[in-house]
Amino acid sequence: MSTLSVRQVRFRYLTLYALRWLPGGLMIPVMILLMQERGLSLSEIGLIGTAQGLVILALELPTGGLADALGRKPVLAVAWLVGLVSLAIFALADSFWLFFLSWALQGVYRALDSGPLESWYVDATLAADPDAEYERGLGWAGTVIGLAIGAGALLSGGLVALGPVGPISALALPLLVAIALQAVSVVALLVMLVEHRPAKGVGALRASVAEAPRMVGQAVGLLRRSRVLLALVAVELFWGFGMVTFESLLPVRLSEVVGSADRAAALLGPAGSAAWLANAAGAALTPFLLRRLGAAPAAALMRILQGATVVGMGLLAGPVGVIVAYLACYTVHGASNPLHMGLLHRQVDGPNRTSVLSLNSMMGMPAGALGGVVLTALADRTSVSLAMLVGGVVLALGAPLYLPAWRASRAAASGAGEPATPGEQAPAAAEGVPSGASLAATGPDGSLAGPAPVAVPTSQPAPAAGAGTRPA
């Protein structure tokens, strides 16, 4: 598949991963506040978020199948160009419908972007060395995303503190820099991502479009046959809904506490930077959690702890208490993503990898859109604190869905006559999957996907105009 070495593949993956998330870091502190500055209410912002969720719901699976059939590079190139256009529209938007269009295009971007880069890295690594441990690079991606988003958030806070500049408001300055960085990312992608495809041109495109439904059907078949995979994907329903609290409501909560949107944005710059450094530190804890608890139990514990930190953000008084809870939330978030995505990767092999990741993301995005509508409306009618409390409880409710993976690992270890090994994953037979099913072999996990910052979660940071948290 690739003439690159394992080290070269990993370097290019991590570089592109950093460039993909840096614009999102710039947007995190200002996106919601900028829309409020331009006259939108929280309820309107929540409704706009549904545009992204609905588009992702419609396109997630077809685009995942297209990436598996056509190739990851062309799909990613189109995705990042669409992301650039969505940011440009967001910069000019001054009405509900222009913001709605920007977020709808962001949904196209996220649907196309969900999975191809990570799938390229895993498959290119295995092509270079079938025995390579790709989990190491996936784990480092968690650190890279934390550093990239943290640097972007810190720069965003500095730009807000320096603004306004002429007719450009302080909250709009980070957006302009994000647009420039997104353009750089597109160029870097075209240069650095090397992919050998058997055919190119219009004929290959037609064949790939025709092949995409079959790839999607195979991925759905895996989901139908594996209780573990079905439960893991269902976690995204709770995760996506609850992530609205710290991606969209946190800036509003902090603005309430300090009494000024500009002061809140200025605080969120360094706080966001620190949060994503905490996210990177959380990702670095993945090997320890795997050794001590195992992948599934640790993932379940992280869901509960993250719900508790969100409740803290909603109930603690003063900016210090809110920011401390925010940092704790992102530390747990950094540990959660590697555990969840590692479990997911171990359930599927290369040909269907992107489609399954798209299935996972497809659950999270519409759930995030629903959470955006419900929780912002609740915040408008009652209080932001109550909305965050509800979101935190929903986040924690996803924890029991890791039980099938835990039971499967114990059953596999017991069947082999060996003590349970933390992080061990069950083979296909343990889940009642036919021997011909396309599931990966058993083994410890440790892979990572980036979190998804701001607005409409993604588990992924990346809300509407350019943000992004769990790179799903």
Side-chain angles (χ1 to χ4, degrees), residues 170-193:
L171 294 177
L173 281 175
L175 174 57
L176 299 182
V177 177
I179 291 172
L181 288 172
Q182 182 73 15
V184 172
S185 299
V186 173
V187 175
L189 173 71
L190 296 175
V191 172
M192 298 184 69
L193 199 151

Side-chain angles (χ1 to χ4, degrees), residues 107-118:
V108 176
Y109 161 53
R110 294 201 50 136
L112 290 166
D113 178 71
S114 176
L117 182 58
E118 187 174 318

Side-chain angles (χ1 to χ4, degrees), residues 410-430:
R410 288 174 60 88
S414 176
E418 300 173 355
T421 301
E424 187 175 13
Q425 190 64 322

